[in-house]
Amino acid sequence: MKNYVIGLDYGTDSVRAVLIDTDNGQEIASNVHYYQRWKNKQYCNAAINQFRQHPLDHIEGLENTIKQVVASGNVSPSQIKSICIDTTGSSPIPVAQDGTPLALTKGFEENPNAMMILWKDHTAINEANEINELAANWGGENFTKYEGGIYSSEWFWAKILHIARQDEAVKNATYTWMEHCDLMTYLLIDSKDLKTFKRSRCAAGHKAMWHEDWNGLPPEDFLAKLDPYLASLRGKLYDETYTSDIVAGNLSQEWATRLGLTTDTLIAVGTFDAHSGAVGAKIEEHTLVRVMGTSTCDIIVDTKASIGTKTVRGICGQVDGSVIPGFIGLEAGQSAFGDLLAWYKELLMWPTEKVLASSTLLTAAQKDALRTEISDKLIIELTTEAEKIPLSESVPIALDWINGRRTPDANQELKSALSNLSLGTKAPHLFKSLVNAICFGSKKIVDRFEEEGVKINSVIGIGGVARKSPFIMQTLANVLNKPIKVAASDQTPALGAAIYAAVAAGIYPNVIEASQKMGSDFESEYLPQLDKVAAYNKLLLAYEQLSQFADPSLKNQHYEHAI
């Protein structure tokens, strides 16, 4: 009998499940569920960078997607051997003593502070600054050194500290906090002992300052200097962490009944989407995998012998086993990638929305149809016109920091900027400048890795932007001056989760072998256009000059590019 596994991938807007044949990685069935509360913009306030999600969105999505792939896959439930879940991160959630998400308990159903603090929530900037100040000056170990040396407001401890200070009721009612990937895994398994539950090595190492060098999480004496609450929380968290090729438990009877599966189905330890996506894209040593969606995560693996005791400045962590057990996983990324273009689209749609709303010339149905048509075609038309603009023609220079800067050197207080505007600047010129900006931000990440001695021989792109925008991908190949292969799978992170599940179930002996057998093929490759590389280097220098103006701390950095 064939064996099958399920990968469940939680993105920013939706969750998708895939049912995978472990022999060859073939997708037997898939299903996507969009978060309704999030779609309605509940519990969020973009003006203060507050982005929260209700756990019911995720629980409903889990049930709906897995039930659908089980039902439509036409395989026996006994053949579905295991499930692995990947999520965005850092996205911590407060939970009660029995592991129930606090937003599902009486009195907290509509409280944003009791919900998941989404990865892109930057309300904890002040708390992140405090952590960085203390880590550098308290006189003991710098617990941020394996996380690039700078702790971000996007991460675990900063978010928890912010909520604890902002909302006394949530603080008092919370027993402990869990990363999203841990919570969803915990909800599925039969064992409900929070103390022995197997937490994700990926989440803990990259976002919570967990490391073997100091036997786990930062000690209570360090955390107490930030806030006594964090010190008291420390004992309710965890000491050990686990890679995603390890079994977290069996599917509980309740969830087996709800999903149409059996309690023999194993649940693997959870992980983050980018790291899972890298596995789904057959990551190898010295290959940079770029997960390109609303933001980017950039993942590379290296051997322990190559990395040694070296720490890489300004990235999002280097963690043993966070991608492939036995290898050091290194993470970087941009806080906004597709989000920058989505912001521009929303900006351009504003007049359409307002004019249509007040128009007396069209029926309601005609307004809806026109609104949809414009929305669907806007980026396509901008792309077509932007591609026609020669590199010799003056275009604005933009920064990609519209949601702060993740890498290199996290600083979520930074803002985007534009320069070189003129009366000749049209909408396609601005669009082209924004595409250039996200590609230049990508180049700075590659430069930082290579400056720090991390070798990059090849680049793989995965995600919606990689598959849907040849214009962006060709621009990126020219800016990086490296060939970029694009993974063919629509669901590479979910496929990577399925690969972890196959190893956890004992179907493959290790992640490398499983990835080679089950991982995605490649559908296209973009090669640098040598006649354009030099022109982009000139524009990159202008990007760096604007960067130094917006962030004076960069003025002591020296850039050298061939012109």
Side-chain angles (χ1 to χ4, degrees):
M1 290 179 66
K2 279 182 168 288
N3 294 320
Y4 300 90
V5 289
I6 292 174
L8 192 68
D9 169 46
Y10 281 92
T12 301
D13 302 318
S14 62
V15 57
R16 69 280 309 161
V18 293
L19 177 66
I20 300 294
D21 183 336
T22 60
D23 283 349
N24 50 24
Q26 180 186 354
E27 183 182 297
I28 305 302
S30 67
N31 190 261
V32 178
H33 172 95
Y34 289 89
Y35 314 136
Q36 191 57 53
R37 297 163 190 81
W38 170 256
K39 187 176 181 180
N40 294 337
K41 299 184 178 180
Q42 293 175 250
Y43 317 117
C44 298
N45 183 351
I48 59 170
N49 289 315
Q50 175 183 300
F51 298 99
R52 311 288 166 80
Q53 289 187 336
H54 201 293
L56 280 177
D57 272 337
H58 305 125
I59 294 169
E60 291 165 0
L62 182 154
E63 183 167 7
N64 291 342
T65 56
I66 294 183
K67 281 173 66 175
Q68 286 296 320
V69 298
V70 170
S72 62
N74 196 31
V75 301
S76 167
S78 64
Q79 293 176 271
I80 300 176
K81 300 301 182 181
S82 56
I83 298 171
C84 182
I85 296 171
D86 74 77
T87 69
T88 65
S90 177
S91 299
I93 305 174
V95 300
Q97 192 161 359
D98 63 355
T100 301
L102 198 62
L104 301 186
T105 65
K106 186 173 176 57
F108 295 97
E109 299 91 340
E110 300 297 323
N111 185 339
N113 295 326
M115 297 177 189
M116 189 182 83
I117 318 300
L118 189 63
W119 64 268
K120 67 192 283 184
D121 187 295
H122 291 166
T123 52
I125 285 175
N126 291 337
E127 288 76 13
N129 290 339
E130 286 182 48
I131 292 171
N132 286 314
E133 177 70 20
L134 179 64
N137 299 300
W138 81 298
E141 182 73 74
N142 186 336
F143 297 109
T144 70
K145 71 179 184 180
Y146 289 108
E147 294 180 293
I150 304 173
Y151 202 76
S152 170
S153 63
E154 293 183 343
W155 298 348
F156 190 75
W157 291 109
K159 288 177 171 176
I160 292 171
L161 183 55
H162 177 74
I163 297 299
R165 289 175 172 173
Q166 187 180 58
D167 196 319
E168 191 77 13
V170 168
K171 171 184 167 182
N172 292 335
T174 298
Y175 175 73
T176 190
W177 288 74
M178 302 181 79
E179 275 288 356
H180 188 202
C181 65
D182 288 330
L183 175 67
M184 303 313 296
T185 301
Y186 175 82
L187 291 178
L188 286 183
I189 64 173
D190 51 359
S191 173
K192 296 302 182 185
D193 184 352
L194 279 174
K195 191 60 182 175
T196 60
F197 172 70
K198 293 175 180 174
R199 307 274 190 138
S200 166
R201 168 77 57 85
C202 178
H206 284 287
K207 311 302 181 186
M209 297 186 283
W210 183 95
H211 200 272
E212 299 97 325
D213 279 7
W214 41 84
N215 299 314
L217 295 168
E220 289 184 9
D221 56 343
F222 173 81
L223 296 172
K225 292 181 183 297
L226 290 166
D227 194 289
Y229 172 70
L230 297 188
S232 67
L233 178 64
R234 171 70 177 76
K236 300 174 184 175
L237 290 167
Y238 50 89
D239 295 312
E240 298 298 324
T241 62
Y242 299 84
T243 54
S244 291
D245 59 334
I246 300 296
V247 174
N250 282 67
L251 187 63
S252 70
Q253 183 61 64
E254 176 195 354
W255 276 103
T257 302
R258 289 170 71 169
L259 299 176
L261 293 172
T262 78
T263 56
D264 290 333
T265 301
L266 301 173
I267 310 299
V269 171
T271 189
F272 281 161
D273 52 358
H275 307 72
S276 178
V279 169
K282 300 181 182 176
I283 190 170
E284 299 176 323
E285 285 180 65
H286 312 305
T287 297
L288 182 70
V289 176
R290 307 207 74 228
V291 185
M292 292 182 278
T294 54
S295 65
T296 75
C297 275
D298 298 71
I299 305 294
I300 194 165
V301 296
D302 211 338
T303 63
K304 297 177 185 179
S306 176
I307 291 290
T309 59
K310 174 174 58 186
T311 55
V312 180
R313 296 179 299 121
I315 64 170
C316 304
Q318 52 194 82
V319 180
D320 182 6
S322 66
V323 183
I324 298 175
F327 288 78
I328 303 297
L330 300 103
E331 176 192 348
Q334 293 165 270
S335 292
F337 195 79
D339 263 358
L340 181 59
L341 306 181
W343 163 81
Y344 187 51
K345 176 183 175 180
E346 185 176 354
L347 188 75
L348 295 182
M349 284 296 296
W350 185 88
T352 298
E353 297 283 358
K354 289 298 180 183
V355 171
L356 283 178
S358 60
S359 173
T360 59
L361 300 177
L362 303 173
T363 66
Q366 288 172 326
K367 290 178 185 180
D368 287 341
L370 182 57
R371 185 183 294 108
T372 299
E373 183 179 21
I374 294 172
S375 179
D376 290 346
K377 291 183 176 180
L378 186 55
I379 294 296
I380 296 171
E381 293 297 331
L382 286 168
T383 297
T384 299
E385 294 305 312
E387 284 184 294
K388 296 176 184 177
I389 300 172
L391 286 174
S392 58
E393 186 171 332
S394 178
V395 297
I397 300 298
L399 299 180
D400 52 312
W401 303 340
I402 199 162
N403 197 26
R405 184 180 64 218
R406 181 181 296 158
T407 314
D409 306 316
N411 186 343
Q412 303 303 345
E413 296 181 271
L414 293 173
K415 305 294 183 185
S416 185
L418 285 166
S419 67
N420 201 38
L421 295 169
S422 73
L423 289 175
T425 301
K426 308 299 182 187
H429 293 85
L430 271 174
F431 182 75
K432 189 179 185 77
S433 77
L434 297 180
V435 170
N436 289 346
I438 57 179
C439 293
F440 293 150
S442 306
K443 170 68 170 168
K444 301 312 298 178
I445 291 171
V446 170
D447 286 351
R448 175 57 60 86
F449 274 129
E450 294 184 330
E451 290 162 5
E452 295 285 304
V454 179
K455 195 175 182 182
I456 298 175
N457 293 336
S458 59
V459 180
I460 295 173
I462 68 175
V465 174
R467 299 197 68 213
K468 295 175 183 177
S469 180
F471 173 53
I472 293 175
M473 296 309 295
Q474 186 60 63
T475 302
L476 186 61
N478 291 336
V479 170
L480 298 184
N481 195 19
K482 294 180 185 291
I484 305 173
K485 292 190 294 185
V486 177
S489 173
D490 272 331
Q491 311 291 359
T492 315
L495 176 59
I499 289 169
Y500 284 130
V503 180
I507 297 168
Y508 288 96
N510 58 64
V511 172
I512 294 175
E513 185 173 329
S515 179
Q516 290 303 311
K517 290 277 191 177
M518 298 173 61
S520 174
D521 292 327
F522 302 101
E523 64 181 10
S524 57
E525 184 173 15
Y526 296 87
L527 302 175
Q529 299 166 318
L530 298 183
D531 59 324
K532 296 182 179 180
V533 170
Y536 277 111
N537 276 337
K538 290 182 180 179
L539 291 172
L540 177 60
L541 285 174
Y543 169 90
E544 289 167 345
Q545 290 169 348
L546 183 58
S547 298
Q548 291 175 351
F549 177 80
D551 181 6
S553 71
L554 298 178
K555 288 183 178 177
N556 60 356
Q557 297 187 19
H558 302 286
Y559 302 110
E560 295 180 6
H561 299 287
I563 299 179

